Amino acid sequence: ELAKEAMVRNLQVHGDDVDVAKVGERAAVNLGNISHNAIKKGTLLTQKGYVRGFNVADVWFECLDKRTLAHNIKLIFHAGAKQVEATLLHYESEQPQSKGFGKIRFSEPLFLTFDEPFILSLSGHTIAGGRVLNPVNDPIKKKIKLPLLKALQEKDFARAFTLLSKIHKKGFGLISAYQRFGLSHEDALAITKAIPEDIFVDEKGLVVYPLSALDSLESIIRAIYEKNPYALLSATSVSLKLIWASAGIAQKALDRLESQGIIEPKEGVYVKTGVNIEDVGNHVEERIYTILKEAHESPDAPYNIYDQLDIDRKTGDDALKRLTSSRKVVRLAHNLFVTTIALTSMMTRLREIMKTEGYVDVKNTKEHFGLTRKYLIAYLDYLDQFDDVIKE
């Protein structure tokens, strides 16, 4: 099984306790929270979240003794102490090759890293060796993949980053810099600073974007304010709305729009310039309350309401807290808030069913209201709080 957590209790080299074991030394690791049966030959021990497993990797291979390898050949792939069945596909030609760039498909996910050495064997004989160039499965077309692999082979990371920023129009992450390039986050960021091409780097979020992504994001935010003059956005709310956009690039886009005089900061969010929202908090309270009131007994989850209003989550949460404190709204469940008016009406109607049918449960309330189970259970749980109601 993949991804079992263990605690390193102790490390020894030749029987002596040490803090560091170096490459080439015989080391013993005392692991806690894991059975020895869960560890097999070839298991990788790594810090959590640093290396992901993939069924394919891009490589450079070279054959021994003037041999060649056919396109789509099945063989055994060895890396470290791990060996798996694999298939080799050539990138540059479908003719047999003695060396070149290739894609290797594995029979199970492997946790490989950049520049990791491997060997290929057939019928128990070593026939080729090579280095892993791209251990992460990227959906990249062959004509773009080859220049990227050449840059990686030469360890020209500035060129590789530039190519990747063009391929990933909505940014590529440096969070996996060690697995992808054998680099620390600091070294990876230093390389991005030396790139003359048009890129935007979110240093905190560790994401590299082409400038076209920033332009695109600016247009999207501008369109939101044009469509909804009462929008109240922040960098956080933009990044939650658009999964690909980090808070860093969202803030940059908002700064650009502010410098153009389109929006202005107010009470922690951005309002459209010229739109008079005297008290942001009261304004948001009124709008959320109106939506909850119109939804009667089956309102949307708060985050959906915030999206509908184009408002920041913190601003929305604060407004909901004030509405519940003033008893205008009641929190029925984790993501379910209803107006006190709707709740009172619902309790009255549930009591009427109890009078006529002798009881209420999910089945008979569903027949009366047509609400989903989520809402019905929340209302029945609330009804159970009253002293004259018994739950059996």
Side-chain angles (χ1 to χ4, degrees):
E1 282 182 54
L2 301 180
K4 284 190 177 294
E5 283 192 45
M7 181 71 72
V8 177
R9 288 177 173 158
N10 188 28
L11 193 61
Q12 289 187 346
V13 172
H14 295 296
D16 296 326
D17 291 351
V18 294
D19 292 326
V20 175
K22 299 185 180 69
V23 174
E25 291 180 333
R26 185 179 178 88
V29 186
N30 182 351
L31 296 177
N33 306 341
I34 192 166
S35 163
H36 68 279
N37 295 319
I39 303 169
K40 298 179 178 65
K41 184 181 176 183
T43 299
L44 177 74
L45 183 65
T46 178
Q47 194 171 341
K48 185 180 177 182
Y50 267 64
V51 184
R52 291 182 293 158
F54 293 94
N55 287 85
V56 300
D58 298 317
V59 304
W60 171 264
F61 73 92
E62 293 185 19
C63 292
L64 303 175
D65 305 326
K66 298 181 182 176
R67 294 190 61 150
T68 59
L69 287 175
H71 178 69
N72 210 20
I73 188 173
K74 290 188 167 36
L75 27 69
I76 304 296
F77 178 93
H78 307 255
K82 189 82 175 174
Q83 60 180 62
V84 297
E85 293 177 359
T87 305
L88 172 66
L89 303 158
H90 299 317
Y91 271 123
E92 292 171 286
S93 168
E94 292 195 0
Q95 296 302 312
Q97 303 286 311
S98 61
K99 60 183 178 181
F101 295 109
K103 174 191 278 190
I104 302 187
R105 286 204 183 103
F106 312 114
S107 56
E108 62 181 83
L110 290 189
F111 294 74
L112 302 170
T113 54
F114 172 76
D115 207 34
E116 186 169 348
F118 64 85
I119 60 172
L120 301 172
S121 70
L122 206 55
S123 305
H125 299 289
T126 300
I127 54 170
R131 296 266 174 182
V132 174
L133 295 177
N134 181 27
V136 175
N137 186 15
D138 270 327
I140 304 171
K141 290 177 181 170
K142 195 192 295 186
K143 66 176 182 180
I144 305 169
K145 178 75 70 90
L146 275 170
L148 173 63
L149 295 181
K150 283 172 184 166
L152 289 170
Q153 187 185 32
E154 293 162 11
K155 296 189 178 171
D156 183 350
F157 296 118
R159 178 82 184 127
F161 285 13
T162 305
L163 287 165
L164 283 164
S165 72
K166 288 177 179 173
I167 293 159
H168 296 279
K169 303 279 188 223
K170 292 185 174 174
F172 82 91
L174 295 178
I175 197 85
S176 56
Y178 177 73
Q179 182 175 16
R180 287 189 81 129
F181 314 111
L183 298 170
S184 67
H185 291 158
E186 293 74 20
D187 288 344
L189 284 172
I191 289 165
T192 64
K193 287 173 183 169
I195 296 173
E197 306 253 352
D198 293 336
I199 60 168
F200 171 79
V201 183
D202 177 355
E203 293 192 27
K204 192 176 176 188
L206 292 168
V207 190
V208 179
Y209 294 95
L211 273 192
S212 59
L214 183 56
D215 296 337
S216 171
L217 185 56
E218 187 184 326
S219 299
I220 290 166
I221 298 171
R222 186 197 295 260
I224 290 170
Y225 280 100
E226 283 172 4
K227 186 181 173 189
N228 177 8
Y230 294 100
L232 300 164
L233 299 177
S234 68
T236 307
S237 65
V238 171
S239 69
L240 287 167
K241 203 184 249 298
L242 301 165
I243 295 166
W244 61 269
S246 69
I249 195 171
Q251 188 59 58
K252 182 72 175 175
L254 289 165
D255 290 345
R256 273 187 175 190
L257 290 168
E258 184 190 354
S259 69
Q260 295 164 36
I262 292 165
I263 57 174
E264 57 189 15
K266 187 166 188 174
E267 296 176 40
V269 291
Y270 288 86
V271 301
K272 188 174 182 183
T273 304
V275 173
N276 185 22
I277 302 175
E278 282 303 321
D279 182 336
V280 169
N282 282 341
H283 170 78
V284 172
E285 265 184 65
E286 286 169 17
R287 302 200 72 196
I288 290 175
Y289 185 70
T290 302
I291 288 173
L292 290 175
K293 200 173 171 184
E294 287 170 356
H296 304 295
E297 69 276 351
S298 54
D300 256 349
Y303 298 157
N304 293 335
I305 295 172
Y306 305 163
D307 276 350
Q308 185 184 335
L309 293 174
D310 297 312
I311 60 171
D312 173 68
R313 281 194 182 183
K314 186 182 183 306
T315 307
D317 285 346
D318 290 346
L320 257 183
K321 279 176 192 165
R322 289 193 297 274
L323 284 167
T324 50
S325 296
S326 63
R327 303 290 174 87
K328 289 175 80 176
V329 168
V330 176
R331 182 180 187 172
L332 278 188
H334 170 58
N335 262 341
L336 180 55
F337 292 79
V338 295
T339 62
T340 308
I341 296 166
L343 181 60
T344 305
S345 164
M346 199 66 188
M347 292 301 108
T348 305
R349 290 156 78 192
L350 286 172
R351 285 177 177 279
E352 285 168 3
I353 298 169
M354 290 171 85
K355 277 181 187 173
T356 55
E357 299 184 28
Y359 70 95
V360 281
D361 63 9
V362 172
K363 190 169 181 288
N364 70 359
T365 50
K366 196 175 181 73
E367 288 165 6
H368 283 272
F369 302 116
L371 293 172
T372 64
R373 189 178 176 83
K374 176 186 87 170
Y375 292 109
L376 294 173
I377 288 172
Y379 285 117
L380 290 171
D381 282 346
Y382 191 83
L383 182 68
D384 187 40
Q385 294 177 25
F386 293 94
D387 291 339
D388 61 339
V389 175
I390 297 169
K391 184 179 180 180
E392 290 185 352

